[in-house]
Amino acid sequence: MSRYGLRATMAIVGAADTRVGAVPDLSSAQLQTEAARLALADAAISKDQIDGLITCNASVERGPLRTFHAEMVAELLGIKPRFCLTGAVGGALPVLMMEHAAAVIAAGLCNTIVLISADNILSGSKRRVAVPEPWDDPQFEEPYGPTTPAMYALIARAHMHAYGTTSEQFAAVAVACRRHASMTPGAQKREPITIADVLNSRMIADPLHLLDCSLVSDGGAAIVMTAADRAKDFRNKPVYFLGAGEAHPYLSLLHADSLTESGAIESGRQAYAAAGVRPRDIDIAFVYDAFTPMAIIYLEDLGFCPKGEGGRFVEGGNVELGGALPINTHGGLLSYCHAGLANSIFHITEAVRQLRGECGPRQVAGARLAIIHGQGGRASTHGTAILGTEETL
Amino acid sequence: MAEAGKLVPVPTEQTAQFWRGCARRELRLQQCGDCGRYQFPPQDFCRYCCGARLTWKAVSGRGKVLSWTIVHWSPNPAYAADAPYSLALIQLDEGPRMLTNIIGCPPGPIEIGMQVKVDFEQCGPDILLPKFKVT
């Protein structure tokens, strides 16, 4: 079956976030099980109705939670799933895993899957390590003192050089996300900010200021997925999986063909083709905003504006609620929560809330189609998914 | 000398030739005997054509800046103590890219497209680390 055959074969029938921000009382494993418990409650089903489990690995765990992550979480949940899988591609993972779950359900390996992602880099890292583990090549990258923001600053600088994108335009992404977080109960940062606030925040890696960088958080979320033809047996308005795409063009920036054109071009192309929709059909975009310039690049690469015009696209409230294309209506990684690995789960749970119409003052009126783009590594690995309401089938 | 906490490269069998070259202030890359392309970092076979006939060649040490940043913050105190410092992605004339620091000029006046040439700095007792100067 090609990925095109997966259109609307699977639906999300439960979704929930744990508390996010500083959650020092819960380990990453406890956040995983808490997220699952809340998502099951949202779906109004018992854990015995789950026969598939997919977890996203956490960055701070050691021992069995590193090598048998999903099995350990299954044990803590007291379930014996027929299908059990741990994934590890960083922030792209929950989006990719939705597609893989659709394939697993379509193949008949199991009926109802819980997908969980949780991590606690804020509290967990403090407890376990003084200095994070080196991420880049230990001989040929780490000796030069790269940091995660610095690696993304290389991408940001290249975009500024190629297209004249400005720091003010980067800041507009942070301002939009913060405004949305101000309307989201429980978001980690809710005080509204201005473009001047972003530009006056301290420099982390030129051109990225502190407020261009995502948060450091604890938190988790989970979704319950089942075959589309069973979805109406559940309590919630189903949110349908319409299509997805992925791209894995490189891991290290040393092997990136381009710093300004990402794998989102390919993953987005696949997702639109699989879902049978076009960029102009999309009501809300959830783009991986680990750093403000990345949101701009992904909006370009997902076809919402021509290449190089992303900076102008985000100006003037165009990506805020009430604008042409609201993004990250919960506040994104910049203001809602950035809990380490696999954070696109929070983009998914917010997309579900929006498509169910549950978002109150931040509801996008009439939202029917949402696109979600997750990425991992150094803008290396990409997953794009399109979700829709029943009207889009 | 590297301070405590900085990462000092530990050569492996696969990379020893590279570091032996650096010790002689010579930048060496693997070249494929089948397709002729150069590659970096070193690996066991050609990442372009999978050919296994790799030889080490001294190269020009010249390249250009693809992008750059000035790092003002690091979670590692040993690097934070050096901040602000430059970090750049450069493309060697032979094709491969390297992450590096630009040295010999105050942080700041770096531009994309600038021509650079390799230089070497002591890093730990046994390693000369390739860095780049604007030419």
Side-chain angles (χ1 to χ4, degrees), chain B residues 19 33 40 50 60 109 114 132:
Chain B
W19 295 112
F40 179 83
C50 288
S60 68
M114 270 183 164
F132 285 79

Side-chain angles (χ1 to χ4, degrees), chain B residues 69-110:
Chain B
T69 179
I70 303 297
V71 181
H72 291 260
W73 167 90
S74 169
N76 182 330
Y79 290 99
D82 282 351
Y85 59 89
S86 68
L87 187 75
L89 187 66
I90 60 131
Q91 179 142 33
L92 296 169
D93 286 355
E94 292 80 9
R97 296 165 175 192
M98 295 181 74
L99 194 70
T100 193
N101 307 126
I102 304 292
I103 57 172
C105 61
I110 305 171

Side-chain angles (χ1 to χ4, degrees), chain A residues 130-132 134 136-151 153-158 161-162 202-207 253-259, chain B residues 7-12 15 18-19 40-42 47 66-77 79 85-89 97-101 112 123 129-131:
Chain A
V131 174
D136 301 296
D137 186 291
Q139 290 185 66
F140 302 112
E141 295 176 334
E142 286 291 342
Y144 301 100
T147 62
T148 298
M151 296 302 245
L154 296 174
I155 296 172
R157 174 75 61 197
H161 179 80
R202 72 189 164 93
M203 195 63 90
I204 298 296
D206 195 354
L253 282 183
L254 297 183
H255 298 308
D257 289 336
S258 166
L259 292 178
Chain B
L7 220 124
V8 177
V10 179
T12 62
T15 66
F18 178 85
W19 295 112
F40 179 83
R47 66 187 303 270
L66 288 180
S67 195
W68 62 279
T69 179
I70 303 297
V71 181
H72 291 260
W73 167 90
S74 169
N76 182 330
Y79 290 99
Y85 59 89
S86 68
L87 187 75
L89 187 66
R97 296 165 175 192
M98 295 181 74
L99 194 70
T100 193
N101 307 126
I112 289 174
C123 174
L129 187 65
K131 297 193 174 183

Side-chain angles (χ1 to χ4, degrees), chain A residues 70-149:
Chain A
E71 287 76 6
M72 189 80 195
V73 172
E75 189 140 284
L76 292 168
L77 285 170
I79 61 173
K80 296 173 182 172
R82 289 163 62 194
F83 179 84
C84 200
L85 173 70
T86 308
V89 289
L93 187 63
V95 180
L96 294 180
M97 285 298 146
M98 272 200 298
E99 180 184 44
H100 298 180
V104 164
I105 290 170
L109 299 188
C110 62
N111 293 317
T112 303
I113 297 180
V114 173
L115 165 58
I116 318 172
S117 177
D119 205 345
N120 63 341
I121 55 171
L122 178 58
S123 304
S125 302
K126 276 183 196 157
R127 277 205 294 271
R128 288 168 187 270
V129 283
V131 174
E133 277 183 76
W135 203 95
D136 301 296
D137 186 291
Q139 290 185 66
F140 302 112
E141 295 176 334
E142 286 291 342
Y144 301 100
T147 62
T148 298

